[in-house]
Amino acid sequence: MNITKKLYYDDVFLSKCVASIIDIKDNAIITDQTVAFPEGGGQDGDTGVISKLDSGISVVFSDTQKGLGKTLFLENFPTINVNCPVLHICQDDISDFKIGDKIQVEIDINKRAGVTIHHTGLHVLIMLLEKNRPDIYKSIKGCHISASSARVDFKIENKISPEEILQVTEELNGMVNRDIPVVISAHSDEPEARYWICDNVSYPCGGTHLPSLAYLGVPSIKRKSKSKGLQRIMVEFSRNSDILTLYS
């Protein structure tokens, strides 16, 4: 089985790395290690450039996906896929790249920064909604996190009110102003099983996150009824340019 070492678990702010190509499948380049985060948990996959060392040859990858690995079952933790290859999906011709080539993988840090902001912010939003609706986390039916926004759908009977949105917005702004830290911790039985921890609240999550809430910026939160019993909450954060200084 080809397994890609996920360097973003060691340092989520690494923007590039040297790697070796271990497999090529159709339009996907698979490397022995990568800084590119694959799509998962509602979070968009990274984009960027793969360059063959000392040749001047490069190709853009427009998505990053997980390949097949091992299905992990842990008590009180969602089922996840670990020990898998990471596929850098390319739209252009990759015939110049061969197994064994030494290459550099470099991600688009502007996209990663936006996704990271909105993933962290969505967790805080859910955490604050839970204060008045203790079971709302269990009612999540889907989410999507991009560089420009995030949304989450809840299967609930009682609509989220404008007053709740206003309260959550004020509380979120307060947490940003207090610069509350965010910690990512690995499960004791599996390093790829991760927890997001903020203000003494923890969620299972292996996505990319900020080190503290000051990087979030100013939130704009909206709600929408999708169908009977299905509520969508959307959030956008003004970009905090300071986040780009975190990437190396």
Side-chain angles (χ1 to χ4, degrees), residues 94-133:
I94 58 173
S95 59
D96 288 326
F97 293 85
K98 308 296 181 187
I99 293 174
D101 283 351
K102 290 288 187 180
I103 54 94
Q104 176 178 271
V105 181
E106 184 170 8
I107 62 169
D108 178 346
I109 63 171
N110 281 289
K111 178 181 179 182
R112 166 71 78 79
V115 170
T116 298
I117 286 170
H118 286 92
H119 200 157
T120 301
L122 189 63
H123 274 303
V124 179
L125 174 60
I126 294 168
M127 179 178 76
L128 293 173
L129 285 170
E130 274 196 304
K131 286 185 175 182
N132 294 323
R133 296 171 178 259

Side-chain angles (χ1 to χ4, degrees), residues 1 12 34 36 42 97 99 115 137 157 168 175 197 223 228:
M1 179 192 300
V12 73
T34 190
F97 293 85
I99 293 174
V115 170
Y137 182 79
E157 293 302 320
V168 165
M175 294 179 74
I197 305 165
R223 67 186 178 94
K228 182 176 174 57

